[in-house]
C-alpha cells in the first residue's frame, strides 16, 4: 500500500538521497490546530512511501522534516534544523512532495 501523501528527500550538497530524516505528516484543521497522522523516517533512498492513510480528505496538510538529526548524522552544518511544508489537498490524486536540501537552502515542489 502506498500512502496518499509521500515524500522523497534529496541532499543536493552531497548529491545523494537523504536517509534517516524524521518526517511527520499532520492535517491542519479550520482552527489552524494540527492533528498528527503519521511519523516516519526516510529510507536508504530518501523516500517515505508508507506515511499515513492511502486516502485523505481535501484539506490542508503539513510535512515536517527533522533536518537537524540528518545534518548531525552527516557532519554538515545546519541552518534549518526543521523544515515545514504546508500544502493543500483538493482532490483524491496521489500527492508526492519532494524536498531538496542543502545546509543553507531548501526547495520543494509538487511531484508525481
Amino acid at each position: 500500500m502506498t500512502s496518499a501523501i509521500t515524500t522523497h528527500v534529496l541532499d543536493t550538497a552531497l548529491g545523494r538521497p537523504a536517509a534517516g530524516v524524521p518526517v511527520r505528516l499532520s492535517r491542519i484543521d479550520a482552527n489552524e490546530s494540527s492533528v498528527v497522522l503519521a511519523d516516519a523516517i526516510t529510507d536508504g533512498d530518501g523516500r517515505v512511501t508508507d506515511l499515513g492513510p492511502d486516502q485523505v480528505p481535501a484539506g490542508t496538510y503539513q510535512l515536517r522534516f527533522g533536518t537537524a538529526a540528518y545534518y548531525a548524522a552527516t557532519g554538515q552544518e545546519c541552518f534549518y534544523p526543521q523544515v515545514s511544508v504546508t500544502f493543500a489537498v483538493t482532490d483524491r490524486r496521489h500527492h508526492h512532495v519532494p524536498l531538496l536540501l542543502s545546509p543553507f537552502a531548501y526547495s520543494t515542489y509538487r511531484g508525481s
Side-chain angles (χ1 to χ4, degrees), residues 10-108:
L10 298 169
D11 184 329
T12 59
L14 297 180
R16 65 181 186 210
V21 177
V23 180
R24 171 169 282 173
L25 172 64
S26 300
R27 181 179 171 132
I28 310 299
D29 67 19
N31 298 322
E32 296 195 21
S33 297
S34 64
V35 177
V36 175
L37 300 178
D39 287 299
I41 297 177
T42 58
D43 65 15
D45 195 33
R47 296 181 184 274
V48 176
T49 58
D50 58 350
L51 188 64
D54 61 351
Q55 292 185 11
V56 294
T60 303
Y61 293 84
Q62 182 178 75
L63 286 170
R64 189 175 75 200
F65 300 88
T67 53
Y70 171 75
Y71 286 126
T74 58
Q76 298 181 73
E77 285 190 61
C78 177
F79 186 69
Y80 297 105
Q82 176 179 292
V83 173
S84 295
V85 179
T86 304
F87 56 98
V89 170
T90 59
D91 55 41
R92 292 226 178 259
R93 292 185 300 160
H94 175 254
H95 288 72
H96 185 64
V97 185
L99 179 66
L100 306 176
L101 288 178
S102 71
F104 300 103
Y106 65 86
S107 64
T108 186

